[in-house]
Amino acid sequence: QVQLVESGGGSVQAGGSLRLSCATSGYTSSRNYMGWFRQAPGKGREGVAGIGTRSTSTYYTDSVKGRFTISQDSAKRTLYLQMNSLKPEDTAMYYCAAGRRLSLSESDFDYWGQGTQVTVSS
């Protein structure tokens, strides 16, 4: 069974930075894409960034372009999300996921982590 475990969340002031990590275990070779999603209170789950595990392709939602960077360390089997210039609007529970295509659609991902909370204060 594929297992994803996020870490690195916390509380920061606006303009600060956080680096989220997602450690993977189990069989993941059939999932060629990884992504980060977030969900704020009262809102649906939003795709933030995606990356192909067998290519260098990446994809970002418009609201985080230029501020967030998705990356991976194949040797450590770990996915990262570097978040800079954080805004209060970025406050949400952040989830990593594994899926079958590079997209920001929740329906394209079938393995999910438990989430890590990010809180940005003004």
Side-chain angles (χ1 to χ4, degrees):
Q1 184 74 27
V2 173
Q3 190 167 6
L4 311 175
V5 181
E6 303 97 331
S7 62
S11 298
V12 298
Q13 292 288 117
S17 298
L18 284 173
R19 190 190 194 195
L20 306 184
S21 299
C22 175
T24 69
S25 62
Y27 182 75
T28 60
S29 62
S30 64
R31 275 70 185 178
N32 294 326
Y33 305 96
M34 300 287 292
W36 287 98
F37 294 77
R38 64 187 181 186
Q39 187 168 23
K43 304 197 72 175
R45 192 166 294 183
E46 174 191 23
V48 176
I51 188 169
T53 60
R54 297 185 180 182
S55 72
T56 58
S57 299
T58 59
Y59 196 84
Y60 298 91
T61 192
D62 287 343
S63 64
V64 308
K65 287 180 179 177
R67 299 189 298 119
F68 291 10
T69 303
I70 187 171
S71 62
Q72 60 190 330
D73 185 325
S74 297
K76 295 182 177 181
R77 300 185 65 188
T78 301
L79 180 73
Y80 301 98
L81 184 67
Q82 179 66 47
M83 306 186 294
N84 298 326
S85 301
L86 283 162
K87 305 175 180 179
E89 308 93 272
D90 297 318
T91 295
M93 184 74 75
Y94 283 71
Y95 301 87
C96 66
R100 299 174 181 177
R101 66 186 68 183
L102 182 63
S103 80
L104 298 180
S105 175
E106 184 178 0
S107 64
D108 289 326
F109 295 80
D110 53 1
Y111 289 96
W112 296 83
Q114 83 290 345
T116 186
Q117 179 67 39
V118 171
T119 302
V120 185
S121 59
S122 60

